[in-house]
Amino acid sequence: QVPLVESGGGSVQPGGSLTLSCTAPKHNYENNCMGWYRQRPGEEREGVAAFHPGGVSPYYGDFVKGRFTVSRDDAKNTVYLKMNNLQPEDTGNYYCVAAGPRTGIAFMEPDRICGALVPGWGKGTQVSVTS
């Protein structure tokens, strides 16, 4: 499992914003797809957003609908997930992962990122959206 350091979760009101960060070892940051999954209460895990190291367009889950943005800080080996207009249905545990790629595009399946099996799931960071 890739040692990733996640932070930034918390509790906000509907319409609020949060930014999650994920720091990876330099090798993984430069060579792996990195992204965020989430698991909402009672739901299966789903891909939120991902970067491909080849510089192709990021992947976003359909439910993002322009509300979330991924970005990178190469100097810090860190990927960010900026989440705006959060809604109660966004409540869940968010996991950062790094793996692959085995494809030329950024793509997420429940247990694969860029075609590569996610090697492990950390504790994640909790996001709670309540009024």
Side-chain angles (χ1 to χ4, degrees):
Q1 186 171 345
V2 178
L4 303 170
V5 179
E6 305 165 334
S7 64
S11 182
V12 296
Q13 293 185 335
S17 299
L18 284 172
T19 298
L20 308 183
S21 65
C22 177
T23 301
K26 183 176 178 65
H27 173 80
N28 299 102
Y29 177 83
E30 292 179 343
N31 294 286
N32 289 155
C33 277
M34 289 188 64
W36 295 92
Y37 283 82
R38 72 181 187 182
Q39 188 157 22
R40 298 178 293 161
E43 301 289 337
E44 292 187 352
R45 191 180 298 124
E46 57 189 347
V48 179
F51 266 120
H52 190 286
V56 297
S57 298
Y59 167 91
Y60 290 100
D62 290 342
F63 56 86
V64 168
K65 298 179 180 178
R67 300 180 297 137
F68 300 175
T69 304
V70 285
S71 62
R72 301 167 64 103
D73 186 333
D74 294 344
K76 297 181 179 180
N77 302 333
T78 298
V79 174
Y80 300 96
L81 179 65
K82 171 71 171 177
M83 303 184 292
N84 293 324
N85 192 21
L86 284 161
Q87 300 300 316
E89 54 267 31
D90 295 312
T91 292
N93 212 33
Y94 285 66
Y95 302 87
C96 180
V97 302
R102 297 179 66 86
T103 64
I105 59 172
F107 186 74
M108 301 179 86
E109 298 164 279
D111 61 350
R112 291 182 179 271
I113 181 171
C114 301
L117 187 67
V118 175
W121 302 92
K123 295 181 179 180
T125 185
Q126 181 68 30
V127 171
S128 179
V129 186
T130 60
S131 56

